[in-house]
Amino acid sequence: MENLEKKVRELLVQNNWSCNAAGRKFVADRVELPKPHCQSIRWMAVLNAAEEVGGCKPGETYAYIDARGEKAVACVYGLYDIPGDLTNPFIVCFSGMMTAHLYTMEAVRFYAQKHKSLLPLFCTGKEGNKGLFKEVFDRTNGLMVQTEAEAYMRPLSVLAPEKWVRRYERAVADTDTHGNFDEMYALAKSLGLKEATFLLCSGNFSYDKRLLAEGMLQLRDKKYADVKINLAIIHCPLWVGFSVPEGHISDLLLGYVAASLGPLMKDTAPLTLSPEAPKAERYLLPGVAEADWAVFEELITHYSNMGWPNYQEILYGVNHEDAVTNIIMSDLYARASFTPEGYDHALWDDLEAYQELIGKYQKGQDFLDFLINTPDERFFY
């Protein structure tokens, strides 16, 4: 490892300490990848703390000012307790974690059982994080291919009718869109809706606060003002029983968690109902500044394979060059922990495990009827 780190630092000097997608690839193309870390159950205490700090509890609400200059409330719902009286609801499957589609299906299934209604689905996301998954997405055959949205729609089409899965994919056909909220807004506009509720289902137990901290501030932008956007989070509980790398304790799971927590203290402004928008990247949500950040020092310093050096610098006083080196090293370990073919095999294993509980949807079946008649048994509890 010492020889590898020495080589990495030499390359970073050549590359002006770059750690964006191109910088990471520059190093990865010039070194031999290390053997992936063998992760242990010791991380469960950190992951539980990450859910407490980065996740939200069902029933919590956050008041903010929206693009119309009006008070809005972002709500947090449990996976199994989505209310039936929402205005034009859409469940949004996104975030890059290849677990989100199974959480999404579970939410849709129980919503159907409780309310005898089918939630519309919207999948969004362009490409893999920081270039890590480029080799996986740059394929035409398989489940995890092309874009994050496509990589969700293909597995979901195994569990559900493709017509339902792909009904709104045209809203993400434009690859020039700037982000997930732009695509949600574009979907609402394309349907002529004046109001819509977006239920964000990320599959990431530690991502809720980052989503809200950035989303509520972004949704103050006047460009969204002609659609009343009701923002909601579906909390996805911690689960490490999946086959995909980010679904069990691995370099990739730890990287996702580090990227979820790391930005929470960076460039923040207090959550406020002031009519003047703060100049910041995100709101500072309750419970974040008060958290014991020492718990996450190893995670954010040595496993930020999707993060930025300033997380380490702000939280732990790491100097810039060491922080960049840490990121590149964690990126190399993450790259060594998966293959495109391995992802597809793992996705199929997880789909089959889920089908063992709910049964297999047969083409031509009434999908709502199928969901209503699946077992009243929770996959995640």
Side-chain angles (χ1 to χ4, degrees):
M1 180 175 169
E2 287 182 6
N3 289 336
L4 175 61
E5 186 169 332
K6 181 181 177 183
K7 176 66 173 175
V8 164
R9 283 183 174 268
E10 290 171 355
L11 290 168
L12 285 170
V13 169
Q14 295 177 35
N15 202 31
N16 198 28
W17 298 93
S18 171
C19 65
N20 59 14
R24 294 167 192 237
K25 184 177 186 301
F26 175 85
V27 175
D29 287 346
R30 290 163 176 79
V31 299
E32 184 177 344
L33 294 182
K35 291 182 180 179
H37 290 116
C38 182
Q39 302 299 352
S40 73
I41 199 69
R42 74 180 177 90
W43 282 106
M44 283 306 299
V46 178
L47 297 180
N48 281 312
E51 182 173 26
E52 186 70 22
V53 174
C56 292
K57 291 180 173 60
E60 290 180 340
T61 58
Y62 298 86
Y64 66 103
I65 296 296
D66 66 12
R68 305 148 73 93
E70 299 173 352
K71 179 182 175 181
V73 177
C75 299
V76 183
Y77 301 122
L79 193 66
Y80 297 101
D81 299 299
I82 301 171
D85 58 352
L86 304 174
T87 303
N88 296 324
F90 295 86
I91 190 163
V92 184
C93 180
F94 80 113
S95 86
M97 284 186 70
M98 294 312 299
T99 57
H101 54 291
L102 293 177
Y103 285 96
T104 295
M105 272 299 299
E106 191 73 339
V108 169
R109 186 167 75 92
F110 272 77
Y111 185 91
Q113 289 189 359
K114 285 192 170 190
H115 306 301
K116 306 300 184 284
S117 180
L118 183 61
L119 272 174
L121 169 73
F122 180 53
C123 298
T124 181
K126 292 300 173 206
E127 60 185 9
N129 290 289
K130 307 302 176 200
L132 260 180
F133 303 114
K134 182 175 174 55
E135 62 175 305
V136 187
F137 286 122
D138 282 355
R139 303 180 300 148
T140 55
N141 296 319
L143 289 178
M144 188 177 172
V145 301
Q146 298 177 20
T147 64
E148 289 174 14
E150 184 66 25
Y152 287 135
M153 288 188 285
R154 291 194 180 197
L156 283 166
S157 294
V158 174
L159 301 172
E162 193 164 18
K163 184 178 179 181
W164 171 74
V165 171
R166 295 187 177 275
R167 182 174 181 182
Y168 299 113
E169 69 175 315
R170 68 181 184 274
V172 291
D174 176 10
T175 57
D176 293 328
T177 50
H178 296 292
N180 298 313
F181 289 110
D182 281 6
E183 291 171 355
M184 294 175 214
Y185 168 78
L187 172 62
K189 286 285 289 180
S190 73
L191 298 174
L193 300 177
K194 295 297 184 184
E195 182 176 358
T197 303
F198 292 110
L199 301 155
L200 309 184
C201 189
S202 71
N204 183 341
F205 56 90
S206 64
Y207 195 33
D208 301 343
K209 283 200 177 81
R210 180 175 174 185
L211 275 175
L212 287 175
E214 296 171 7
M216 292 188 295
L217 192 51
Q218 183 177 336
L219 289 173
R220 292 187 71 134
D221 195 311
K222 299 301 181 186
K223 68 183 181 181
Y224 302 114
D226 54 342
V227 177
K228 179 175 169 51
I229 295 176
N230 301 313
L231 183 60
I233 293 283
I234 298 177
H235 178 65
C236 298
L238 171 60
W239 184 265
V240 291
F242 292 112
S243 294
V244 291
E246 61 268 51
H248 58 260
I249 300 174
S250 68
D251 285 80
L252 283 177
L253 175 61
L254 297 178
Y256 272 108
V257 177
S260 302
L261 299 180
L264 289 178
M265 293 288 287
K266 175 182 174 289
D267 195 8
T268 63
L271 182 58
T272 175
L273 294 178
S274 167
E276 186 173 342
K279 290 180 171 56
E281 286 189 34
R282 57 188 59 83
Y283 286 121
L284 181 63
L285 298 188
V288 171
E290 301 82 6
D292 181 2
W293 286 93
V295 171
F296 307 116
E297 184 168 1
E298 182 184 3
L299 175 78
I300 291 172
T301 302
H302 294 293
Y303 290 88
S304 286
N305 48 62
M306 303 173 197
W308 294 103
N310 47 24
Y311 306 162
Q312 300 171 53
E313 295 163 20
I314 292 168
L315 289 167
Y316 306 113
V318 180
N319 72 60
H320 182 70
E321 292 179 358
D322 286 345
V324 171
T325 303
N326 289 337
I327 285 175
I328 297 297
M329 290 293 292
S330 65
D331 177 86
L332 296 174
Y333 279 104
R335 288 172 189 267
S337 68
F338 66 89
T339 64
E341 297 75 22
Y343 249 113
D344 275 358
H345 289 313
L347 281 165
W348 277 111
D349 287 346
D350 291 338
L351 288 169
E352 288 168 3
Y354 188 66
Q355 287 176 321
E356 285 180 13
L357 172 64
I358 73 165
K360 292 186 177 182
Y361 171 77
Q362 303 295 327
K363 187 175 181 179
Q365 273 184 287
D366 182 280
F367 185 47
L368 177 59
D369 186 62
F370 166 78
L371 293 173
I372 290 172
N373 289 287
T374 56
D376 186 19
E377 182 179 342
R378 298 179 176 191
F379 185 80
F380 292 104
Y381 292 106

